[in-house]
Amino acid sequence: MPTITRVGVLGCGLMGSGIAQTAAAAGFPTVVRDVGDALLDTGRAGIRKSLDKLAEKGKLDPATPDAALGRLRFVTDLDALSDCDLIIEAITEDLELKNTLWRELDALCPPATIFASNTSSLSIAEMAAATGRPDRFVGLHFFNPVPLMPLVEVVRTVTTSRDTFDAALDFSRRLGKEPIVARDRSGFIVNLLLVPFLLDAIRALERGVGTTADIDRGMQLGCGHPMGPLTLADFVGLDTTARIADIMFEEYREPRYAPPPLLRRMVVAGFHGRKSGRGFYDYSATPPVPIDLGL
Ligand code: 3HC
């Protein structure tokens, strides 16, 4: 089984920065690449804040935040990932964009480097086929917020070798995560079940079954969910939720995966959830308040 020592992460957004933080805190020298310094600065600040919070709460050793930041390198240059043993991609859910990067990295990295995608809905097989190393390509799907959520879905597609798959399972455990194994089908296990649930909550709001606050409270207090579905959709990002739903609808052609009209309108209006300051809730208020969506 290949040994993973140096880790590369493509993308320093919500997921990429969380993955990089987790890898660095687990002791892996980690290079994070994004396209601009401003994005890297935001990612670095988020990682610092998250590490400090975890140390403050006693979930990390007090020395870990500085040590983890010392293991992280933030770069804009793709070449800086060429000596990594594993590269995890966490950019937007756009197959062409991802495959352009994979082709470039395929030419830059030694044959042994394992490529992994954190996609939640795109086909691992299609990305693997864009490279000359389809046997060394695997899915590693993390959950937001990555430093807190214990799960990783490890996805073995038709071309993934046993060695690559075993290395991905071993790496997930060394991060302190618990891996589950999922087939290469859009949404894997968790989003296959979660996305229709989030879309149903939006449909319920659209149809006037309940208010934003009551739909969320219903699932929190009635079913013990840590966040209600509309809060969770805001947390994942409404643009991301709509994009994942579109990709899943494309794969399965089942109405339950189709983004409801309200979601589409919120996305075009710039209501992208917590990260944009507004979604189903207005995040400029503490605590956030439900937005009047004209329903
Ligand atoms: N790093 C460090 N600390 C963090 C953090 C982070 N990234 N995010 C939150 N925290 C801290 C908070 O600051 C807070 O600290 P405090 O107690 O000192 O105030 C603490 O964690 C608890 O947070 P909250 O008070 O906000 O409340 P919760 O107890 O609800 O915990 C949560 C937060 C763990 C996010 C919990 O609400 C939860 O589990 N929510 C569901 C998340 C979920 O379902 N994620 C999966 C989304 S789907 C996905 O990612 C797949 C993708 O493909 C779409």
Side-chain angles (χ1 to χ4, degrees), residues 15 18 21 46-47 49-54 56-57 59 93 118-121 141-149 153 190-191 194-195 198 220 225-227 232 235-237 240-241 244 274:
M15 298 303 283
Q21 172 185 331
I47 291 174
K49 194 169 157 204
S50 172
L51 285 167
D52 287 347
K53 180 109 209 171
L54 292 169
E56 201 182 286
K57 295 178 92 177
K59 292 187 178 163
E93 291 289 75
N118 177 57
T119 184
S120 57
S121 47
H141 182 220
F142 293 82
F143 294 83
N144 182 26
V146 180
L148 302 187
M149 304 306 279
E153 288 179 309
V190 174
N191 279 357
L194 177 66
V195 171
L198 299 184
Q220 280 184 284
H225 289 200
M227 286 175 168
L232 183 54
F235 186 64
V236 169
T240 306
T241 303
I244 296 172
R274 179 131 80 169

Side-chain angles (χ1 to χ4, degrees), residues 261-284:
L262 173 62
L263 178 61
R264 289 209 188 280
R265 277 148 189 79
M266 291 178 75
V267 172
V268 295
F271 288 55
H272 290 181
R274 179 131 80 169
K275 65 187 169 192
S276 68
R278 59 189 184 164
F280 291 102
Y281 294 85
D282 175 357
Y283 293 91
S284 63

Side-chain angles (χ1 to χ4, degrees), residues 205 210-218 220 230 281 290:
L205 179 69
T211 62
T212 300
D214 282 351
I215 289 169
D216 274 350
R217 257 201 306 263
Q220 280 184 284
L230 299 171
Y281 294 85

Side-chain angles (χ1 to χ4, degrees), residues 155-189:
V155 184
R156 185 178 183 184
T157 193
V158 285
T159 52
T160 312
S161 72
R162 182 83 228 179
D163 263 4
T164 300
F165 178 64
D166 286 345
L169 281 173
D170 180 63
F171 172 72
S172 307
R173 293 192 186 103
R174 284 166 69 201
L175 287 184
K177 302 289 184 200
E178 182 150 347
I180 57 172
V181 178
R183 279 243 194 116
D184 182 20
R185 299 287 183 274
S186 187
F188 312 129
I189 295 172

